[in-house]
C-alpha cells in the first residue's frame, strides 16, 4: 500500500508528542485455534442500492479441539450458517459471527463453514457513481481491505497470518467487467447480469483479497513468461501506458534482487476512481488511484513509477512474505519503499536514487519534528492504521539502507535472497529478518535493530571539521546531540569521510560509539574537500561545520551529487558574496544533476540579497523543468519585491511548458504579496492541469497574499463538485485567510461540515486544516463527528490535542513570523540604500602631512590600539 494524500504543515513543537494517544491499547497477534485453508466468495452486487448479497464458505482446520468458530464480520445481516452443508446455530454481535459446530473439531480435522449475508458496507467495499456534483464520475465498485477492513465485506478470520487460497464469484451488470485475484476460470452473461469466477491457487491473507467492478479498457504485455494486464478508464490508453510501461523491467529486476521468480500466475494493474489510497497491492491485482494517470506535458515533471514500483514490490514483500501482525508491518511497507530506491538506482542511476532517499529522509525527519518519534515496531495504538506513517514506510526503508551500508552490497543482497527463500509463503516478524541477515552474512545485527527499529529516534550528529597546519592533520569533532531521555539511545554507527588532498581521495570510516569523539586524520597539506557522509547515507541528521572554502570546492567538484547538494544548502546559510557567486554558477550549469541545481536555487532564495535575486532572475529560462520550478519557488522568498512580482506575473500570463512551474509562479506571486495579485490568481485557478496543480498553486497563492478579499474565492473552491485536489487546497486556504478576513466563525462552520463530506480525503483535510485555523471552537465538531476511516479518526484526535495545547502558541508564532519577514524586508531595503550611497560617495581627499608634537602622539596611540583590536579579531 502507498498512501497518497497531502500533508498540511503541522503546528511545530519543540518536543514532539507521544505516538500513543489517550485511550490507545496494546495489540498482539490474534490467537489461531483454527486455520483458514480456503475461502469461496459468491457475491451479487446491487449498484443502485449500494448493497452486497453474499455467501462465504471458509474451510477451516482445527489447531486444538474447538466447538465454535468466530469470524470477523462487521455490520452484516447474517441470514444463515451451515457446517459441511448442514444448518448450524450462530450468533451475530455486529462485529463477530460465532458459529456453533454440530460436534467439536479435533486437531487436524477440517470443516466447511458457510455464512449467507447481506450488507451495505461502510468500509472494505465501496460503490461509486455519478451524482449532481460529479456527473462524469464512472460507476464502479472496488474493495480495499488493509488493515482490518476485509471483515467489512466478507466474514473472515481477519489477520495477516491467516493465509488461504480463494475463489471470488461475482455477479454484476453485464456491461461491466471485473478483476479479482488469480485466474479467470469462468465468464458467463445471462440477460442483464454477468458472472465472473476467479480462482487463486496459492494462499494469501484476507486483506489481499480484491474485487473491482466497472467499465474498463485493457492492454496486455508480458514480463518473460509472466502475463501482464493493464485496466484503465475508457480513452486513457496512452496515459495508462505512460505510467506502467516499465513494469516488465521492474519484474525482471525484482526477480534478480530476491532470487525468487514472480511468485503468482500473473499480474494486473487497474486504475479506479476515488480510491482511498495511492495504491493497494492485492495479490496478482494491484488497484491504483486513477488521478495518477497523466499526459505528456506532466511527464517531464511527474512520474507514477515510484508508486508502480512500490506496489509491484509488494508481490514479494507483503504478499509472498507477510507480516505476522501489523506492528511488524514495516516488513511489508519499508521493503516496498526501499525497492523504489533500488528501482531508481537500476533504471535512472545513483544520483536519482540518492535524491529519492533524500525525499524519504526528509519525510521521516519532518514527522519526528512535527508529530512524534516512535519505535518502528510499536504495539500501543487505537487502530493498526495508526502505524501507517513515515516511520513504517520511509524510516523502514532507511533502516534497510542502513543495513546495506553496514554489511556492503554483496552481503546485503545475499541476505535478502536468503530471507525471501526461507520465508516464502509464510508470515514474518522483525526477528526473522535479523536472523536471516545473521545466517547469510555472519554479522550479528541485533544492536542495529534494537537502536533503529525497537527504539524511537535517530542519531543527530554535529560534526566540526578543522585543519591543523602545525600538526599536519585534520581534526574532526563528532557529537551526538539527540535527546536520550525518552528512549532514544546513543547510537553506534560508522561515519564515512572522504578527504581530498592534491587531487586524490582517501576514504576514512570513523566508528562512532559515544556521545562525543575527537578524530585526528593525517593530512600533510590542507585538504580541498572534506566530504562527511558524501552520499548522505546515515539514517539521521548530520550537521557539518567547516570552512566556507571547503563547501565552495565541493559544490564545484565533488563527484557525488548529494555532496554538492549538501554544499548548496550550507552555502545558503553562509550567504556571503562568494557563496552567491558559486551558487549562481552551479544553477546555470546544465551538466550538473537537477537536484543539486534546485538546491542552489533554494539556497539563493534563502539568502535573499540583491545579488541572489539577480542570479535567480537570470536562471528563470533554465531548460530543466524541475530546476525552473525551484527557481520560481525561490523567487517567492522576495516579499514585496516589485521586480520579482512583475517577472512572476509575466510568467503566469505567458504560461510555461510545465504545469508545475506555472503552479509555483502562482504560489510565488502570492508569497511576494504582489499588488493586485488576487484577480490574476482567481483567473489562474480556473486553468485545467494535471491533478489541478495550477489551480491548487493559485489557491496557495491566494492564501499567501493574506488579502481578505481572497477569502470568498477560497470558500467557493471547497464546494462539492469542484475538482478534488483543488478542494483540499482550498480548505487550507480558508484556514489561513479566516483570521485576516475576520471570518473565523464561517471557517469553523465550513470545516465542521466537511468532516461529513462523502470524499474521505476531504474529511482528513478538514481535520488537518483545523490545526492551521487554530480555533478551539472546532473541538466540538472534531470530537462529535462520527468518522469511519481510522486515519481520519487519528487526524481528528491529533487536531483536538493541537487545539487544546498549541492554538495560542500557533497564533503567536504566525504573528512573529510575519514581523520577522517585515524586518527582513526593511533590512534588505536599508542595505540597498547604503550600497547606493556608497556608490555616490565622493573620492577621499589626498593624504595630509602627518601630525606633529602632541597630536602625533595621540595619532600613534590610536593606530596602536587599532592594530591590537584587529589582531585579537584575527586570532579569534
Amino acid at each position: 500500500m502507498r498512501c497518497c494524500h497531502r500533508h498540511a504543515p503541522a503546528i511545530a513543537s519543540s518536543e514532539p508528542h507521544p505516538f500513543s494517544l489517550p485511550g490507545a491499547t496494546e495489540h498482539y497477534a490474534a490467537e489461531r485455534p483454527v486455520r483458514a485453508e480456503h475461502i469461496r466468495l459468491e457475491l451479487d452486487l446491487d449498484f443502485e442500492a449500494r448493497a452486497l448479497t453474499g455467501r462465504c464458505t471458509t474451510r477451516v482446520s482445527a489447531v486444538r479441539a474447538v466447538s465454535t468458530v468466530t469470524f470477523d464480520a462487521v455490520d452484516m445481516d447474517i441470514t444463515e450458517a451451515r457446517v459441511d452443508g448442514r444448518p448450524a446455530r450462530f450468533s451475530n454481535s455486529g462485529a463477530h459471527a460465532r458459529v456453533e459446530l454440530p460436534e467439536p473439531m479435533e486437531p487436524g480435522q477440517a470443516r466447511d463453514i458457510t455464512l449467507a449475508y447481506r450488507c451495505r458496507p461502510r468500509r472494505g467495499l465501496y460503490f461509486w457513481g455519478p451524482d449532481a456534483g460529479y456527473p462524469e464520475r464512472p460507476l464502479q465498485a472496488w474493495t480495499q481491505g488493509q488493515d482490518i477492513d476485509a471483515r467489512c465485506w466478507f466474514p473472515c478470520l481477519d489477520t495477516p497470518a491467516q493465509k488461504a487460497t480463494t475463489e471470488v464469484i461475482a455477479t454484476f451488470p453485464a456491461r461491466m467487467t471485473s478483476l479479482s485475484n488469480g485466474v479467470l476460470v469462468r465468464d458467463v452473461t445471462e440477460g442483464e447480469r454477468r458472472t465472473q469466477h476467479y480462482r487463486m491457487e496459492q494462499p494469501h491473507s484476507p486483506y489481499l483479497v480484491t474485487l473491482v467492478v466497472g467499465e474498463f479498457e485493457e492492454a496486455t504485455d508480458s514480463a518473460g513468461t509472466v502475463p501482464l494486464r493493464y485496466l484503465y478508464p475508457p480513452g486513457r490508453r496512452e496515459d495508462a501506458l505512460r505510467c506502467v510501461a516499465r513494469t516488465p523491467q521492474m519484474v525482471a529486476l525484482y526477480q534478480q534482487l530476491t532470487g525468487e521468480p514472480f511468485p503468482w500466475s500473473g499480474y494486473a494493474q487497474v486504475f479506479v476512481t476515488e480510491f482511498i489510497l495511492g495504491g493497494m497491492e492485492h495479490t496478482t491485482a494491484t488497484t491504483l488511484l486513477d488521478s495518477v494517470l497523466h499526459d505528456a506535458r506532466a511527464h517531464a515533471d511527474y512520474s507514477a513509477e515510484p508508486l508502480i514500483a512500490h506496489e509491484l514490490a509488494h508481490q514479494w514483500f507483503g504478499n509472498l512474505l507477510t507480516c505476522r501482525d501489523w506492528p511488524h508491518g514495516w516488513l511489508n511497507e519499508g521493503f516496498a519503499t526501499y525497492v523504489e530506491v533500488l528501482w531508481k538506482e537500476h533504471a535512472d542511476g545513483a544520483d536519482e536514487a540518492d535524491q529519492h532517499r533524500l525525499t524519504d529522509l526528509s519525510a521521516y525527519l519532518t514527522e519526528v519534528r512535527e508529530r512524534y518519534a516512535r519505535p518502528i515496531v510499536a504495539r500501543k495504538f487505537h487502530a493498526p492504521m495508526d502505524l501507517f506513517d513515515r516511520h513504517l514506510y520511509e524510516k523502514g526503508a532507511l533502516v534497510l539502507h542502513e543495513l546495506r551500508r553496514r554489511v556492503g552490497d554483496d552481503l546485503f543482497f545475499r541476505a535478502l535472497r536468503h530471507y525471501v527463500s526461507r520465508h516464502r509463503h509464510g508470515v514474518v516478524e522483525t526477528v526473522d529478518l535479523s536472523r536471516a541477515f545473521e545466517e547469510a552474512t555472519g554479522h550479528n545485527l541485533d544492536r542495529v535493530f534494537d537502536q533503529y527499529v525497537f527504539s524511537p529516534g535517530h542519531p543527530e550528529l554535529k560534526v566540526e571539521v578543522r585543519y591543523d597546519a602545525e600538526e599536519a592533520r585534520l581534526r574532526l569533532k563528532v557529537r551526538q546531540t539527540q535527546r536520550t531521555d525518552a528512549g532514544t539511545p546513543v547510537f553506534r554507527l560508522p561515519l564515512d569521510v572522504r578527504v581530498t588532498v592534491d587531487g586524490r581521495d582517501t576514504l576514512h570510516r570513523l566508528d562512532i560509539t559515544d556521545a562525543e569523539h575527537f578524530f585526528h586524520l593525517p593530512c600533510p597539506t590542507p585538504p580541498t574537500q572534506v566530504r562527511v557522509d558524501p552520499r548522505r547515507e546515515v539514517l539521521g541528521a548530520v550537521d557539518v561545520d567547516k570552512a566556507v572554502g571547503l563547501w565552495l570546492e565541493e559544490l564545484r567538484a565533488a563527484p557525488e551529487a548529494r555532496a554538492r547538494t549538501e554544499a548548496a544548502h550550507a552555502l545558503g546559510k553562509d550567504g556571503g558574496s562568494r557563496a552567491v557567486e558559486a551558487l549562481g554558477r552551479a544553477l546555470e550549469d546544465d551538466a550538473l544533476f537537477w537536484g543539486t541545481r534546485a538546491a542552489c536555487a533554494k539556497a539563493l532564495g534563502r539568502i535573499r540579497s540583491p545579488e541572489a535575486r539577480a542570479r535567480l532572475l537570470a536562471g528563470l529560462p533554465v531548460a530543466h523543468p524541475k530546476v525552473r520550478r525551484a527557481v520560481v519557488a525561490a523567487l517567492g522568498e522576495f516579499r514585496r519585491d516589485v521586480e520579482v512580482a512583475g517577472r512572476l506575473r509575466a510568467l503566469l500570463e505567458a504560461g510555461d511548458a510545465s504545469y508545475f512551474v506555472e503552479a509555483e509562479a502562482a504560489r510565488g506571486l502570492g508569497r511576494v504579496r504582489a499588488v493586485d495579485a488576487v484577480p490574476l490568481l482567481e483567473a489562474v485557478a480556473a486553468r485545467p492541469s494535471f491533478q489541478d496543480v495550477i489551480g491548487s498553486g493559485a489557491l496557495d497563492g491566494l492564501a499567501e497574499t493574506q488579502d481578505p478579499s481572497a477569502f470568498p474565492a477560497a470558500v467557493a473552491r471547497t464546494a462539492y463538485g469542484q475538482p478534488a485536489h483543488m478542494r483540499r487546497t482550498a480548505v487550507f486556504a480558508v484556514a489561513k485567510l479566516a483570521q485576516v478576513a475576520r471570518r473565523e466563525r464561517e471557517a469553523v462552520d465550513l470545516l465542521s461540515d466537511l468532516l461529513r463530506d462523502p470524499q474521505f480525503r476531504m474529511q482528513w483535510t478538514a481535520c488537518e486544516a483545523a490545526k492551521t485555523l487554530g480555533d478551539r471552537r472546532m473541538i466540538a465538531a472534531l470530537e462529535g463527528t462520527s468518522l469511519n476511516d481510522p486515519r481520519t479518526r487519528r487526524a481528528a484526535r491529533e487536531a483536538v490535542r493541537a487545539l487544546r495545547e498549541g492554538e495560542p502558541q500557533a497564533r503567536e508564532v504566525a504573528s512573529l513570523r510575519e514581523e520577522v519577514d517585515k524586518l527582513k524586508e526593511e533590512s534588505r531595503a536599508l542595505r540597498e540604500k547604503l550600497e547606493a550611497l556608497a556608490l555616490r560617495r565622493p573620492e577621499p581627499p589626498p593624504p595630509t602631512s602627518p601630525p606633529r608634537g602632541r597630536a602625533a602622539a595621540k595619532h600613534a596611540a590610536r593606530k596602536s590600539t587599532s592594530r591590537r583590536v584587529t589582531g585579537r579579531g584575527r586570532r579569534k
Side-chain angles (χ1 to χ4, degrees):
M1 177 181 73
R2 192 59 161 156
C3 293
C4 185
H5 48 244
R6 176 178 175 176
H7 283 262
I11 296 174
S13 171
S14 58
E15 295 184 25
H17 289 290
F19 166 71
S20 298
L21 293 166
T25 56
E26 291 186 338
H27 291 70
Y28 293 88
E31 292 192 2
R32 289 193 287 169
V34 297
R35 290 197 179 98
E37 304 287 349
H38 183 74
I39 299 170
R40 178 184 173 92
L41 285 171
E42 301 166 82
L43 308 170
D44 194 292
L45 281 73
D46 184 339
F47 277 83
E48 185 174 348
R50 299 193 170 196
L52 179 69
T53 301
R55 293 177 65 84
C56 177
T57 301
T58 306
R59 179 174 299 150
V60 297
S61 61
V63 176
R64 62 174 186 249
V66 294
S67 57
T68 62
V69 178
T70 300
F71 293 90
D72 299 298
V74 175
D75 293 340
M76 294 180 186
D77 178 15
I78 297 176
T79 57
E80 181 186 30
R82 290 180 174 269
V83 176
D84 289 340
R86 294 180 294 166
R89 298 177 63 182
F90 70 93
S91 60
N92 181 10
S93 70
H96 301 94
R98 184 171 178 268
V99 179
E100 297 183 18
L101 302 174
E103 57 273 336
M105 290 171 59
E106 297 301 321
Q109 287 186 321
R111 296 283 186 271
D112 285 342
I113 302 176
T114 300
L115 292 171
Y117 65 99
R118 293 189 296 268
C119 63
R120 296 185 63 189
R122 292 186 294 165
R123 294 187 56 75
L125 187 147
Y126 301 79
F127 290 93
W128 291 98
D131 60 19
Y134 300 94
E136 302 301 318
R137 180 193 285 147
L139 192 65
Q140 292 179 0
W142 45 258
T143 64
Q144 197 301 106
Q146 194 172 39
D147 50 1
I148 52 172
D149 285 353
R151 65 188 68 186
C152 299
W153 68 283
F154 69 96
C156 56
L157 305 174
D158 195 4
T159 173
Q162 286 284 10
K163 290 190 169 186
T165 56
T166 60
E167 293 176 83
V168 176
I169 306 163
T171 301
F172 45 84
R175 69 181 184 277
M176 297 181 174
T177 189
S178 72
L179 178 67
S180 189
N181 312 95
V183 177
L184 180 65
V185 295
R186 186 167 65 94
D187 186 352
V188 177
T189 299
E190 296 180 355
E192 297 297 316
R193 305 291 284 175
R194 183 179 186 180
T195 300
Q196 291 187 318
H197 181 177
Y198 284 85
R199 180 177 292 131
M200 181 74 194
E201 299 286 1
Q202 295 159 294
H204 61 144
S205 301
Y207 77 92
L208 296 170
V209 179
T210 185
L211 176 64
V212 175
V213 177
E215 295 183 65
F216 301 99
E217 293 179 0
E218 181 175 340
T220 59
D221 200 350
S222 64
T225 60
V226 181
L228 303 175
R229 299 174 63 198
Y230 312 130
L231 285 74
Y232 48 86
R236 302 295 300 273
R237 177 184 175 88
E238 294 304 317
D239 295 343
L241 294 180
R242 198 172 282 114
C243 293
V244 301
R246 295 208 283 186
T247 301
Q249 293 92 328
M250 292 179 188
V251 171
L253 174 66
Y254 297 177
Q255 291 179 144
Q256 175 188 339
L257 293 176
T258 63
E260 178 73 23
F262 186 80
W264 317 107
S265 57
Y267 186 58
Q269 297 172 81
V270 57
F271 297 89
V272 305
T273 188
E274 301 285 354
F275 198 53
I276 60 173
L277 306 170
M280 181 60 212
E281 66 277 7
H282 308 110
T283 315
T284 75
T286 283
T287 307
L288 299 160
L289 181 67
D290 64 2
S291 68
V292 304
L293 296 170
H294 59 284
D295 58 18
R297 182 180 173 190
H299 196 60
D301 295 84
Y302 173 86
S303 173
E305 278 196 358
L307 174 64
I308 302 301
H310 181 102
E311 304 304 338
L312 175 60
H314 275 307
Q315 299 302 316
W316 286 264
F317 302 107
N319 300 7
L320 183 64
L321 286 74
T322 309
C323 64
R324 178 172 172 262
D325 62 343
W326 293 116
H328 294 275
W330 80 281
L331 298 174
N332 296 9
E333 300 300 347
F335 264 100
T337 304
Y338 188 53
V339 171
E340 295 176 39
V341 177
L342 297 179
W343 166 249
K344 277 282 186 186
E345 187 176 341
H346 170 81
D348 301 321
D351 290 345
E352 286 285 359
D354 288 349
Q355 185 73 21
H356 200 78
R357 277 195 304 101
L358 170 63
T359 303
D360 287 347
L361 179 62
S362 298
Y364 160 67
L365 293 177
T366 297
E367 182 165 85
V368 171
R369 183 172 62 252
E370 297 181 351
R371 294 183 71 196
Y372 51 71
R374 70 171 180 88
I376 292 179
V377 176
R379 294 196 175 276
K380 192 173 183 181
F381 45 81
H382 282 86
M385 192 58 78
D386 290 357
L387 297 167
F388 285 74
D389 59 7
R390 303 304 190 189
H391 286 69
L392 200 75
Y393 286 80
E394 284 84 356
K395 187 181 182 184
L398 295 166
V399 166
L400 293 171
H401 191 75
E402 184 69 20
L403 291 173
R404 180 181 175 185
R405 194 170 77 92
R406 301 292 180 100
V407 303
D409 281 11
D410 289 345
L411 290 180
F412 175 81
F413 290 111
R414 180 196 300 175
L416 196 63
R417 290 188 286 271
H418 177 61
Y419 170 65
V420 171
S421 173
R422 180 167 179 176
H423 297 288
R424 61 193 304 274
H425 290 300
V427 294
V428 287
E429 294 183 307
T430 301
V431 67
D432 297 311
L433 178 65
S434 176
R435 293 296 170 262
F437 264 75
E438 185 174 333
E439 291 163 0
T441 70
H443 288 283
N444 184 328
L445 297 166
D446 289 352
R447 186 192 301 275
V448 177
F449 283 92
D450 280 349
Q451 295 194 330
Y452 290 94
V453 178
F454 295 108
S455 300
H458 53 266
E460 297 178 16
L461 303 181
K462 298 282 188 182
V463 183
E464 182 183 283
V465 178
R466 298 290 184 268
Y467 181 66
D468 187 340
E470 292 183 3
E471 299 291 335
R473 64 184 183 180
L474 191 66
R475 183 174 66 86
L476 288 89
K477 180 181 178 182
V478 182
R479 291 186 297 126
Q480 297 192 46
T481 62
Q482 68 272 12
R483 292 181 55 174
T484 57
D485 55 355
T488 300
V490 173
F491 287 80
R492 295 188 62 137
L493 70 153
L495 180 66
D496 287 348
V497 179
R498 286 193 175 272
V499 181
T500 305
V501 177
D502 297 330
R504 297 181 62 183
D505 259 7
T506 303
L507 172 63
H508 301 271
R509 173 156 281 200
L510 311 181
D511 190 15
I512 310 300
T513 59
D514 297 315
E516 183 172 295
H517 285 277
F518 289 88
F519 297 95
H520 298 91
L521 309 179
C523 196
T525 59
T528 53
Q529 295 183 38
V530 181
R531 305 191 306 281
V532 178
D533 190 20
R535 289 183 58 197
R536 195 60 183 85
E537 297 182 278
V538 168
L539 200 180
V542 180
D543 182 12
V544 180
D545 173 15
K546 61 188 178 188
V548 172
L550 293 172
W551 290 120
L552 291 168
E553 179 62 16
E554 286 160 21
L555 177 61
R556 188 191 69 82
E560 308 90 0
R562 281 294 291 116
R564 292 189 177 200
T565 299
E566 289 298 312
H569 290 315
L571 292 171
K573 296 177 184 178
D574 174 77
S577 59
R578 288 193 302 163
V580 171
E581 183 180 353
L583 291 166
R585 281 199 308 269
L587 176 61
E588 296 169 0
D589 186 351
D590 290 337
L592 279 183
F593 177 61
W594 71 264
T596 297
R597 298 172 69 198
C600 290
K602 184 176 181 179
L604 289 167
R606 178 175 184 167
I607 293 170
R608 285 182 18 170
S609 68
E611 296 81 8
R613 177 187 57 184
R615 287 287 191 173
L616 288 168
L617 290 172
L620 269 175
V622 296
H624 198 296
K626 293 182 181 179
V627 180
R628 196 161 67 251
R629 190 199 322 177
V631 169
V632 173
L635 286 170
E637 298 290 339
F638 292 83
R639 188 162 291 178
R640 297 183 180 87
D641 188 302
V642 175
E643 182 181 3
V644 167
R647 295 291 293 274
L648 293 176
R649 184 187 298 274
L651 191 158
L652 268 181
E653 291 171 345
D656 191 272
S658 164
Y659 292 129
F660 293 84
V661 171
E662 281 191 44
E664 207 58 65
R667 195 171 288 114
L669 191 65
R671 290 173 63 201
V672 300
R673 306 284 168 85
V675 177
D676 298 328
V678 171
L680 177 57
L681 291 174
E682 288 180 352
V684 169
R687 292 183 188 175
S689 59
F690 164 67
Q691 292 188 354
D692 291 293
V693 294
I694 295 177
S696 296
L699 286 166
D700 281 340
L702 286 172
E704 291 290 344
T705 66
Q706 286 295 286
D707 187 328
S709 69
F711 186 82
V715 170
R717 289 293 184 175
T718 68
Y720 189 76
Q722 291 287 320
H725 289 89
M726 286 187 63
R727 290 188 76 202
R728 298 198 292 274
T729 307
V731 172
F732 286 111
V734 166
K736 292 174 182 177
L737 289 165
Q739 185 179 14
V740 70
R742 297 184 178 180
R743 296 172 76 169
E744 294 97 326
R745 177 72 263 178
E746 185 177 343
V748 167
D749 291 342
L750 175 62
L751 295 186
S752 300
D753 289 342
L754 290 174
L755 291 172
R756 301 175 180 84
D757 194 88
Q759 296 175 327
F760 147 72
R761 286 184 173 83
M762 286 302 295
Q763 299 172 18
W764 181 89
T765 300
C767 295
E768 292 297 307
K771 294 187 285 188
T772 302
L773 179 63
D775 193 314
R776 293 187 180 183
R777 287 174 291 186
M778 279 299 306
I779 293 175
L782 289 163
E783 291 185 327
T785 304
S786 177
L787 300 167
N788 287 330
D789 193 285
R791 291 166 295 176
T792 310
R793 291 198 295 269
R794 170 92 196 189
R797 292 186 183 105
E798 289 191 6
V800 168
R801 180 171 64 185
L803 291 171
R804 283 189 169 137
E805 297 179 1
E807 181 261 345
Q809 293 91 324
R811 290 187 184 278
E812 184 178 348
V813 167
S815 176
L816 288 172
R817 284 175 178 163
E818 188 73 18
E819 291 179 16
V820 167
D821 284 337
K822 289 179 180 178
L823 288 172
K824 286 181 178 179
E825 291 303 316
E826 292 171 3
S827 174
R828 184 176 67 82
L830 284 172
R831 283 201 310 271
E832 290 176 351
K833 289 179 180 178
L834 288 171
E835 289 168 359
L837 288 171
L839 290 173
R840 294 197 296 268
R841 188 174 59 190
E843 289 295 321
T848 58
S849 300
R852 298 184 180 182
R854 184 176 298 175
K858 289 183 179 180
H859 179 69
R862 281 197 300 270
K863 286 182 67 176
S864 175
T865 302
S866 174
R867 281 196 299 269
R868 287 197 300 270
V869 172
T870 304
R872 284 199 297 270
R874 281 199 299 267
R875 287 195 295 273
K876 185 177 180 182

